[in-house]
Amino acid sequence: MAEQNKQAAFSSGSASAAGSVGAASTGLAQSIPDVRHWPHPNLSTWGRPPLNIVLYQPEIPANTGNISRTCVVTGAALHLIEPLGFDISERAVRRAGLDYWQKLQLYTYRDWADFLARNPGAEIFLATTKGSVPYTEIRYPRGAFLVFGRETAGLPEELHQAYPGRRLRIPMRSEYRSLNLSNAVAVVLFEALRQQGFPDLL
């Protein structure tokens, strides 16, 4: 029951458009404090992450909550492309009891164009059931951006057309649609970290 209450608190309402602009010299998006988003960015303490997880219009709050914890414990940054299917305001996150959220390197964007503008030169890889290359056969450079689509619809066709040679697939039985989003992120993220020697992890 407690977990259900947490998820309900996290999912109430919908997120507002991002008010963050600019681009860091490292290629990672910069953000400015915005009362509509949580946590308020603290760029002075954020280093360059080994990897970046990008969720395109995520819909289910529990998935994003699980992914945020995975990002915190691995040092990955989390990027959310709006619109979101839930509220990430300070009040909603506090009510949900997502303790790890306050330690998360989080960026939000109005749309895909905003994401590209604020992350120039990003090394982008799409995780999709439409991909043909197993995720283990991709070589992930440090700082790569691993993009995952919506739970109900995946990634839009324009992204598939933009990155035809960078679409990876998690092998699974053909009669089933896909893995749970948070599980898929963990599978690909840890393979990419393994290739990098699990930087700064025990």
Side-chain angles (χ1 to χ4, degrees), residues 9 59 142 193:
E59 301 165 311
R142 186 176 179 87
L193 289 169

Side-chain angles (χ1 to χ4, degrees), residues 8-190:
F10 187 30
S11 62
S12 61
S14 60
S16 303
S20 307
V21 295
S25 59
T26 59
L28 282 174
Q30 286 192 28
S31 299
I32 58 175
D34 181 347
V35 296
R36 295 171 296 182
H37 295 88
W38 177 261
H40 291 167
N42 186 3
L43 293 177
S44 63
T45 62
W46 286 357
R48 183 170 175 80
L51 290 161
N52 297 274
I53 298 300
V54 183
L55 303 184
Y56 183 91
Q57 299 180 2
E59 301 165 311
I60 300 175
N63 284 336
T64 298
N66 289 338
I67 292 166
S68 71
R69 182 165 182 156
T70 300
C71 286
V72 170
V73 301
T74 59
L78 180 61
H79 304 252
L80 303 180
I81 311 295
E82 296 180 342
L84 311 180
F86 44 85
D87 187 3
I88 58 170
S89 67
E90 178 176 354
R91 180 180 179 184
V93 171
R94 287 185 185 278
R95 286 174 57 204
L98 299 176
D99 298 335
Y100 280 77
W101 194 264
Q102 299 182 40
K103 303 180 186 300
L104 175 65
Q105 185 168 343
L106 174 68
Y107 303 92
T108 58
Y109 306 88
R110 293 184 297 274
D111 49 34
W112 183 254
D114 185 30
F115 167 77
L116 291 179
R118 291 165 53 196
N119 294 282
E123 292 272 8
I124 293 172
F125 298 87
L126 308 183
T128 169
T129 56
K130 296 181 180 180
S132 58
V133 181
Y135 74 100
T136 53
E137 295 183 11
I138 299 287
R139 289 297 167 258
Y140 306 95
R142 186 176 179 87
F145 289 76
L146 312 179
V147 183
F148 297 80
R150 293 161 56 191
E151 287 91 340
T152 60
L155 294 167
E157 184 59 30
E158 53 265 33
L159 265 66
H160 288 286
Q161 294 179 5
Y163 306 97
R166 294 202 169 196
R167 300 188 300 172
L168 60 98
R169 179 183 180 86
I170 300 173
M172 63 189 72
R173 292 171 63 181
S174 60
E175 63 265 36
Y176 299 108
R177 186 182 62 171
S178 65
L179 287 174
N180 169 271
L181 178 61
S182 60
N183 290 339
V185 168
V187 167
V188 179
L189 175 59
F190 273 92

